[in-house]
Amino acid sequence: MSSLRSWILRWLTTTNHKDIGILYMVTAMYFFLVAGTLALLFRVQLAMPESNFLPGKAFNQAVTVHGLVMLLWFLSPIQFGLANYFVPLQIGARDLAFPRLNALSYWLYLFSGLLLIVSFFVPGGAVDGGWTLYAPLNTSAYSPSKGFDLAVLAIVMLSAAITLGTVNFMVTIAKMRAPGMTWDKVPMFTWSILFTILMMLLAFPALAAAGILLLLDRLLGTTFFLSVEGGALLWDHLFWFFGHPEVYILLFPSLGMLADIISSFTGRPLYAKRFVLVAFMAATVLSYIVWVHHMFITGTSLLVRKIFSVTTALISIPFEMATLALILTLYKGRIRYTSPMLFAMAAIPLFIIGGATGVFNAAIILDRAFRGTYWVVAHFHYIMAGTALFAVIAGLYYWFPKMTGRMLSEKLAKIQLILAVIGINLLYFPQFLLIDMPRRIYRYDYAPEWITLNQLSTIGAFIFAASFVVALIALLHGLLRGRPSGDNPWGAWGLEWLTKSPPPPHNFDGQPVVTKDGRILIVPEKTLEEQGVDKVITGEAKVSVTGVMTPNGTAGHQSPSHAHGHGHAHAHHGSMAPMMLALGMFVAFVAMPLGNTALMALGALLAFASIAKWVLDEYRGRFSEPEPRYREEFPFVGIDKFKVGLWTFIAGEGFLFGSLVGAYIFIRTRSPAWTPGIELHDVAIGLFNTVVLFTAALAMGLAYYNARVGNVGLQRASLAFALALGLLFMFTKAYEWSKFAAEGYGLTSTMEAQLYYTLTGAHAAHVLVGVIASLYALVRSLRRPYGPQDARTLLYIGIYWGIVDIVWTFIFPMFYLI
Amino acid sequence: MARPQLKWAAHPPIAYFLAWAFLVFTALLEIYFVAAGLTYNTLVFVTSVGIVQSSVIALIFQHLREEPQSVKAFPLGSLVMLIILVSAAVTSVLACTPYLG
């Protein structure tokens, strides 16, 4: 019993990247099961033109939740499950940069998904507005179900999880690579994750902003998406600014996996790797300037449509380059037809079909004809269920031996492949021929010519589903009865194959080093100390190693008996706080639309208690995770990981505010009349708060300075002053709000008021975080003053205050002057 | 290869006070110009003031001027992307808004 208890506790409190990776993968598979079952249900409905198996609302709920779960709670999370497990291994790190934050990301992801699932059981049922949640259908005027509220809350919660994840991966990949692992030696999967998080960092804040505005509409009665000034177009811009990069967010990790797998099973490095990286970079940038092609029929001008038509056509080029590189890697390679390789090879033609059919949609006229039909469904699913999912299966099979120490049954995997290839093509190819069938209908008794194609599609769906039953059997069989795999069963190249299967908690028995000539070594840290890491990288020092792999991958071996204990200490930091924090948010969010204030308070209490525990642990230094002693960290050489993480986070926050300010500009531009702020608001109050915020930044600067020069008294006084100013700002804001409310200028009174309360409210929430951080710093300073060694904490709080000030420099004139 | 420490000597408290005074002064000036109707294009004016104030905050209070290019790239890169996106969105809106005429 106690072993069961400790087993459960381990999974609830783990912060190890491999455990979290497994949690992500298992959870994502559960969500896949849910979304897949929903897909089968609506395919059954569509098999007969007059079926009532899944009528009206139920059909809409199934389609909507299927789409949302597959994209946001299955595909991306399972890729990031693999990334959690393998990115640190591929770059020779012992964990992600911020393990507790990683755990929090996972728990927020899990509970956000459960929030969506719970929505099936609340009054009105689950969300049913289509996965794009188009306005004004997404407002409570047209979709009053509480389940819809829960879905939007789930999306906002997931956005928070993803933002934290992006910070973690950015810092890990940028700053924790093994010595000698320069950027050109970073494996493609890790590269693909880097590009993916760059897209996530800027795309998800737009979704979060859209979600926040929608929540205000649904829960507090604003009309951002109901009004003429905002409405459907505002939603479209915010949603598709997220939505189109999201396609590449889902695709990139899969392409990275394909590159690594094809390289391993052809015995050749990826053809033209540098060009592929340039292509990835181009696609990352272009992904942000193609979103209007989803809005060609919304009334944008012809010029704008032409521009976005060109950018959309352009973005196909990087992917053509990547596909060619994969094919040319196969050319003349000594291909080994293992199950991962077969899935990877199957993904390429599916990608070509899906990609080529997408190019048509770049043409304005064709897009007008195709949109809303099953052509688009087929195109999209060839990319997502074809390329991305096949690559994920290939990745799972490729790394399964490393994760479990056991081999999968090749026979079962190949049976799955055959079923999957037949299933997916039978499922989606007929949908290209259903080019005249609208995609959002559940009956079609007026068009008998669609029956056969729909029935073929439904049969394909069941064959495709059967392939995953075989996959599940293969995974369980491999786990329980698979033969031992050894450390490198594929003879593959890469750091992850130089450690045990499954890897130990500290990942490597020594320090991984990549030499200039491309060899990977596992060197005892003591040897590195004695010989100097630079000499080991250049090959000048002859060192005894515990593992070595040559560039052609043929001479890999490992001698665990030589393993030393030096530097292997991996902090086993279990913490319940991340799970409890996410659970608290889950409870509060479930209660919010239901109006259960007691439950909401309980959830909030749990969340705040968890934050307090987190801060207390931080204060006691329980989770100090020192940066690796030997590492490759260009271009952030000598820069603290917290600083890199903070700036990454701030970039995301900037985009959140940018999206909200964008919404302001959008609404104001479309408003026929607008009362200038200078006539509406009290400039004196605005100016007072402006000076208060500037002074708070000054106080934090002085606190930092006095910590550096060792003046404890002035350090404490400055911190107390910064805290007092933060509180003064909050009180002034509260006074101003209550004064306005008393005058009848409430949240829902006018569009100006809606924007004013929303933006200043979002800003005030950030000031509150600054106040809490300052309070922490003051308490810490009173007990243990900051000195030159740890003054950086005050610098970071100052940087945060800075961003609060910067946002205010735009909000102030927006509402008080113009 | 260790990065040089922050050039602390370049940051006596006087720099903070000067930056603070500049920010307060520009805020007052901004109000005066808008209230007196002295701006040619108010939106451009307040945006420009906001950018100048933000730059001062970033350089002095967030110590960006002492940071290497790689750190500066975060806010600068984000700002550039933000400007592109907001411009693209506003352009597309302006091109279809029913209130333009």
Side-chain angles (χ1 to χ4, degrees), chain A residues 277-582:
Chain A
L277 290 174
V278 170
F280 274 21
M281 203 178 296
T284 302
V285 175
L286 281 170
S287 74
Y288 288 108
I289 44 175
V290 292
W291 83 92
V292 176
H293 77 239
H294 293 277
M295 301 167 59
F296 278 160
I297 63 159
T298 56
T300 47
S301 78
L302 186 59
L303 175 67
V304 170
R305 276 180 281 168
K306 278 179 182 171
I307 292 169
F308 278 87
S309 177
V310 171
T311 55
T312 305
L314 273 179
I315 204 168
S316 64
I317 295 171
F319 292 104
E320 285 154 14
M321 284 171 68
T323 312
L324 273 175
L326 292 176
I327 293 169
L328 288 169
T329 310
L330 290 169
Y331 181 63
K332 284 189 179 175
R334 291 175 56 202
I335 300 174
R336 288 178 287 150
Y337 295 98
T338 59
S339 53
M341 183 61 171
L342 288 170
F343 269 98
M345 288 172 72
I348 295 175
L350 294 173
F351 188 42
I352 293 171
I353 295 171
T357 49
V359 177
F360 291 104
N361 293 335
I364 299 165
I365 291 172
L366 290 177
D367 181 81
R368 185 175 278 258
F370 292 164
R371 75 166 307 282
T373 71
Y374 267 87
W375 168 278
V376 177
V377 180
H379 148 68
F380 182 71
H381 282 84
Y382 261 94
I383 298 290
M384 291 298 130
T387 321
L389 184 52
F390 270 56
V392 164
I393 298 167
L396 278 173
Y397 287 2
Y398 178 58
W399 282 310
F400 183 86
K402 180 51 61 185
M403 290 188 277
T404 62
R406 291 174 181 277
M407 295 301 286
L408 277 175
S409 159
E410 281 288 302
K411 194 174 166 186
L412 283 171
K414 283 170 185 168
I415 291 172
Q416 191 217 345
L417 175 77
I418 293 166
L419 286 172
V421 169
I422 294 171
I424 195 168
N425 284 295
L426 196 55
L427 167 56
Y428 295 118
F429 202 84
Q431 294 180 7
F432 281 126
L433 307 176
L434 286 167
I435 195 166
D436 52 346
M437 179 172 169
R439 62 192 280 196
R440 294 188 176 97
I441 55 170
Y442 72 102
R443 289 174 66 143
Y444 51 95
D445 43 2
Y446 52 88
E449 66 274 20
W450 295 340
I451 297 173
T452 311
L453 291 168
N454 268 298
Q455 288 175 341
L456 283 173
S457 193
T458 301
I459 292 167
F462 276 89
I463 296 173
F464 198 37
S467 79
F468 291 102
V469 176
V470 177
L472 190 64
I473 295 169
L475 290 172
L476 290 174
H477 177 269
L479 204 60
L480 301 172
R481 296 200 175 170
R483 61 184 168 81
S485 64
D487 294 339
N488 189 2
W490 310 121
W493 191 87
L495 256 169
E496 73 264 40
W497 303 107
L498 253 185
T499 187
K500 296 184 186 73
S501 301
H506 49 272
N507 287 351
F508 300 99
D509 288 330
Q511 171 63 55
V513 176
V514 183
T515 62
K516 277 214 158 167
D517 57 5
R519 286 176 303 138
I520 304 175
L521 312 174
I522 307 292
V523 185
E525 282 201 12
K526 198 177 174 187
T527 310
L528 279 184
E529 259 172 55
E530 289 164 1
Q531 302 279 347
V533 69
D534 291 339
K535 285 187 176 172
V536 177
I537 292 172
T538 54
E540 290 171 47
K542 300 292 172 211
V543 291
S544 64
V545 296
T546 58
V548 63
M549 189 176 273
T550 54
N552 59 19
T554 53
H557 78 273
Q558 189 175 19
S559 316
S561 58
H562 292 169
H564 292 263
H566 300 293
H568 296 167
H570 181 273
H572 290 276
H573 292 141
S575 174
M576 196 66 100
M579 193 275 287
M580 297 303 274
L581 174 53

Side-chain angles (χ1 to χ4, degrees), chain A residues 14 275 593:
Chain A
T14 183
F275 282 97

Side-chain angles (χ1 to χ4, degrees), chain A residues 474-803:
Chain A
L475 290 172
L476 290 174
H477 177 269
L479 204 60
L480 301 172
R481 296 200 175 170
R483 61 184 168 81
S485 64
D487 294 339
N488 189 2
W490 310 121
W493 191 87
L495 256 169
E496 73 264 40
W497 303 107
L498 253 185
T499 187
K500 296 184 186 73
S501 301
H506 49 272
N507 287 351
F508 300 99
D509 288 330
Q511 171 63 55
V513 176
V514 183
T515 62
K516 277 214 158 167
D517 57 5
R519 286 176 303 138
I520 304 175
L521 312 174
I522 307 292
V523 185
E525 282 201 12
K526 198 177 174 187
T527 310
L528 279 184
E529 259 172 55
E530 289 164 1
Q531 302 279 347
V533 69
D534 291 339
K535 285 187 176 172
V536 177
I537 292 172
T538 54
E540 290 171 47
K542 300 292 172 211
V543 291
S544 64
V545 296
T546 58
V548 63
M549 189 176 273
T550 54
N552 59 19
T554 53
H557 78 273
Q558 189 175 19
S559 316
S561 58
H562 292 169
H564 292 263
H566 300 293
H568 296 167
H570 181 273
H572 290 276
H573 292 141
S575 174
M576 196 66 100
M579 193 275 287
M580 297 303 274
L581 174 53
L583 177 64
M585 287 174 70
F586 171 76
V587 172
F589 283 178
V590 167
M592 196 183 286
L594 301 175
N596 189 332
T597 43
L599 200 59
M600 207 152 63
L602 180 71
L605 197 68
L606 190 59
F608 281 119
S610 308
I611 292 171
K613 174 77 171 65
W614 190 306
V615 173
L616 201 64
D617 285 343
E618 197 68 41
Y619 177 77
R620 290 176 178 157
R622 264 198 69 204
F623 285 90
S624 65
E625 190 81 32
E627 293 191 46
R629 187 169 171 193
Y630 302 106
R631 60 185 185 270
E632 205 63 57
E633 52 181 353
F634 179 82
F636 300 111
V637 180
I639 301 167
D640 184 73
K641 68 174 181 179
F642 291 99
K643 189 185 281 181
V644 178
L646 182 62
W647 277 111
T648 310
F649 177 73
I650 284 175
E653 287 288 275
F655 263 74
L656 176 70
F657 274 108
S659 302
L660 291 174
V661 170
Y664 165 91
I665 296 171
F666 183 98
I667 288 171
R668 185 152 182 182
T669 311
R670 286 162 54 89
S671 295
W674 194 273
T675 312
I678 202 158
E679 294 172 21
L680 205 56
H681 296 270
D682 190 338
V683 181
I685 292 179
L687 176 64
F688 177 75
N689 259 350
T690 305
V691 176
V692 165
L693 276 187
F694 289 158
T695 314
L698 168 71
M700 277 313 303
L702 292 174
Y704 176 50
Y705 173 79
N706 286 300
R708 294 286 304 233
V709 298
N711 191 331
V712 175
L714 278 178
Q715 176 195 138
R716 287 170 176 166
S718 303
L719 282 171
F721 193 41
L723 175 64
L725 288 165
L727 288 170
L728 183 60
F729 180 92
M730 300 290 284
F731 283 125
T732 311
K733 185 55 60 190
Y735 162 75
E736 191 182 28
W737 277 23
S738 58
K739 182 169 158 276
F740 279 144
E743 290 168 0
Y745 187 72
L747 173 66
T748 57
S749 57
T750 63
M751 192 48 83
E752 290 102 317
Q754 293 181 24
L755 284 167
Y756 163 75
Y757 283 105
T758 303
L759 268 102
T760 57
H763 178 263
H766 283 72
V767 175
L768 182 63
V769 175
V771 166
I772 293 169
S774 302
L775 177 65
Y776 167 82
L778 178 62
V779 172
R780 160 66 218 275
S781 172
L782 289 171
R783 291 181 69 98
R784 206 168 65 238
Y786 291 97
Q789 297 80 16
D790 55 359
R792 60 181 189 175
T793 305
L794 301 181
L795 172 66
Y796 301 152
I797 298 174
I799 289 173
Y800 185 83
W801 270 116
I803 197 71

